[in-house]
Amino acid sequence: MTDVNPGAKKRAQLELFRYHKKIQTSIHELRYLFWECTLRCNLNCGHCGSDCLSSSSVADMPAENFLKVLDGIRKKMDPGKITIAITGGEPILRRDLEQVGLQIASWGFPWGIVSNGWDLSSVRLNSLLNAGMVTMTVSLDGMEDSHDWLRKKTGSFKRAVGALSTLAKSSIPLFDVMTCLTQRNLHQLPEMKDLLVKIGVKNWRFVSIFPRGRGDSDPELSLNGKQFREALEFMKSVRESGEIRINYSCDGFLGKYEREVRDDFMFCKAGINIGSVLIDGSISACPSLREDFIQGNIYKDDFLECWENRFQVMRDRSWAKTGKCASCREWRWCGGNGLHLRHEKTGELMMCQFSDLKMKAVDES
């Protein structure tokens, strides 16, 4: 049997990091702010947690409403320390993105977008860079067959690769690739790595698809314990080779793989360093947290007042020590996994990757 529990040295490191998390939670400095600017999208992805469509029934948020929030923030905080991440839907569908970006940059906020890359021409990229964009994330979810299957649109792989090639040749300070792990793309990861290195991509980020929205409809969207272990071993080996910088997301505790597949130990920073303004004005943390995780609304509440005096559900997570978490000895380091893996109304844990890894280890015994 291959043990997935952390060794003595790593447990000691985890204990030190636990105190670091306590300090960061107490200070709760805002460092990353999402703006869900639209629910319109030019794709119809099979894992979308927001059910975005090309013609959303929800109108885009007027830019001036979000800018009002930033105007209040910049007067009380250092804008240079707060990255604005514009997401959706597909942000590039907004024709006023450059106008908004220029204002954001003029106030001193670094800003970037999360995109599927479909509409990112070299002309549009230069326009966004001239508006002050400093970072961008493009999704690539396998080689052509797997990516197009997940994105539900033929040609989406070629468009995404084209966007990455354009970014690699541009003056953008930072960009990365985000890959959703699926059963379809698992065996393609080495080929993807070679492709990304050839293009000139320096940063590659992995996430797991969690059971929400369309992501709860297809068993091929999630990995079992054996498959997940295979993915982690791949990430670990590539990190050791130094060919490309790899980081796994903050989904949950990974036992012996902690700090071997990402730069730091597991730390869900939702509501601690990360906030968001959702399409309807709701104030939350990462855009995946809705329903009972909503802390206010910009149309009736002051964002900073909410940030300083609310978010208790995210900063004190003792409520999550229920179910399988109640007797888990890793709770002190995990804290119940990323909040996006919990049901938005019941708080029930929907998936635990460390449990899956442990089950795989038992199967091998």
Side-chain angles (χ1 to χ4, degrees):
M1 181 180 77
T2 303
D3 190 6
V4 297
N5 292 306
K9 180 180 179 180
K10 189 158 292 182
R11 290 198 299 271
Q13 294 172 334
L14 284 163
E15 279 298 299
L16 290 173
F17 192 73
R18 187 164 70 95
Y19 288 104
H20 167 74
K21 289 197 291 186
K22 285 185 176 181
I23 293 170
Q24 291 300 310
T25 301
S26 175
I27 298 172
H28 55 262
E29 292 179 314
L30 182 64
R31 288 291 176 259
Y32 211 78
L33 181 62
F34 283 97
W35 177 33
E36 187 180 56
C37 71
T38 183
L39 289 187
R40 293 181 294 129
C41 190
N42 42 23
L43 301 182
N44 186 28
C45 305
H47 65 302
C48 182
S50 303
D51 285 335
C52 298
L53 298 169
S54 59
S55 57
S56 173
S57 60
V58 181
D60 292 357
M61 178 182 286
E64 58 267 24
N65 296 345
F66 180 67
L67 290 174
K68 184 178 179 181
V69 173
L70 291 189
D71 192 25
I73 292 174
R74 75 184 180 96
K75 292 173 181 176
K76 296 183 178 181
M77 295 182 173
D78 181 356
K81 296 181 178 180
I82 305 170
T83 298
I84 308 303
I86 303 177
T87 185
E90 175 50 55
I92 290 180
L93 293 179
R94 287 192 64 129
R95 305 320 300 177
D96 62 348
L97 201 54
E98 286 85 348
Q99 180 181 349
V100 179
L102 279 169
Q103 184 62 71
I104 293 173
S106 73
W107 283 338
F109 293 97
W111 70 273
I113 65 174
V114 181
S115 173
N116 58 43
W118 180 272
D119 279 332
L120 187 68
S121 64
S122 57
V123 173
R124 190 72 196 275
L125 175 59
N126 287 332
S127 179
L128 291 167
L129 292 174
N130 289 335
M133 184 178 74
V134 296
T135 182
M136 187 172 184
T137 294
V138 173
S139 296
L140 189 70
D141 300 307
M143 299 306 289
E144 187 165 7
D145 58 334
S146 299
H147 181 90
D148 286 2
W149 164 77
L150 186 62
R151 297 290 164 173
K152 307 301 181 190
K153 194 165 185 176
T154 301
S156 57
F157 171 81
K158 292 179 179 177
R159 293 282 192 116
V161 170
L164 291 171
S165 298
T166 301
L167 283 164
K169 297 171 185 176
S170 75
S171 61
I172 191 167
L174 178 67
F175 75 98
D176 69 351
V177 171
M178 183 167 64
T179 295
C180 294
L181 292 168
T182 71
Q183 293 185 26
R184 293 238 185 164
N185 66 25
L186 181 60
H187 68 284
Q188 298 176 339
L189 298 183
E191 188 177 2
M192 288 185 68
K193 182 260 296 180
D194 291 342
L195 173 64
L196 296 179
V197 170
K198 181 179 180 180
I199 290 173
V201 174
K202 305 297 184 184
N203 300 283
W204 191 9
R205 185 156 42 102
F206 288 89
V207 298
S208 294
I209 298 173
F210 51 95
R212 182 173 295 148
R214 298 178 201 151
D216 194 26
S217 62
D218 190 333
E220 284 191 277
L221 297 179
S222 60
L223 304 183
N224 60 36
K226 178 181 179 181
Q227 293 166 332
F228 188 49
R229 171 92 68 84
E230 183 181 337
L232 294 178
E233 287 291 344
F234 168 80
M235 295 178 213
K236 179 182 175 181
S237 67
V238 175
R239 280 177 64 92
E240 291 172 349
S241 74
E243 292 176 271
I244 186 171
R245 184 185 178 195
I246 279 182
N247 269 292
Y248 182 66
S249 70
C250 61
D251 286 344
F253 184 70
L254 302 176
K256 74 170 188 177
Y257 292 102
E258 284 294 314
R259 218 175 188 181
E260 294 183 0
V261 296
R262 52 188 168 216
D263 291 344
D264 223 328
F265 294 109
M266 187 265 163
F267 186 10
C268 175
K269 298 181 180 180
I272 296 171
N273 302 120
I274 300 173
S276 69
V277 175
L278 304 182
I279 190 70
D280 63 352
S282 293
I283 297 169
S284 187
C286 70
S288 298
L289 299 181
R290 300 171 184 264
E291 300 288 343
D292 287 353
F293 287 113
I294 299 300
Q295 300 300 299
N297 193 289
I298 64 169
Y299 295 118
K300 62 178 182 179
D301 301 303
D302 178 75
F303 179 89
L304 282 183
E305 189 279 330
C306 289
W307 180 257
E308 291 300 330
N309 301 306
R310 303 187 192 182
F311 286 87
Q312 288 85 355
V313 70
M314 304 178 196
R315 295 169 188 168
D316 178 3
R317 303 189 186 183
S318 57
W319 58 269
K321 202 174 191 305
T322 59
K324 66 172 63 178
C325 293
S327 59
C328 181
R329 69 176 186 176
E330 281 76 28
W331 165 268
R332 62 190 297 106
W333 306 317
C334 173
N337 288 289
L339 287 180
H340 61 285
L341 300 184
R342 291 191 170 269
H343 194 281
E344 294 165 323
K345 287 193 174 296
T346 66
E348 178 184 356
L349 185 61
M350 296 183 290
M351 61 182 285
C352 176
Q353 293 167 328
F354 186 58
S355 293
D356 292 340
L357 289 172
K358 286 195 293 185
M359 289 178 64
K360 164 59 182 167
V362 171
D363 290 342
E364 290 178 341
S365 62

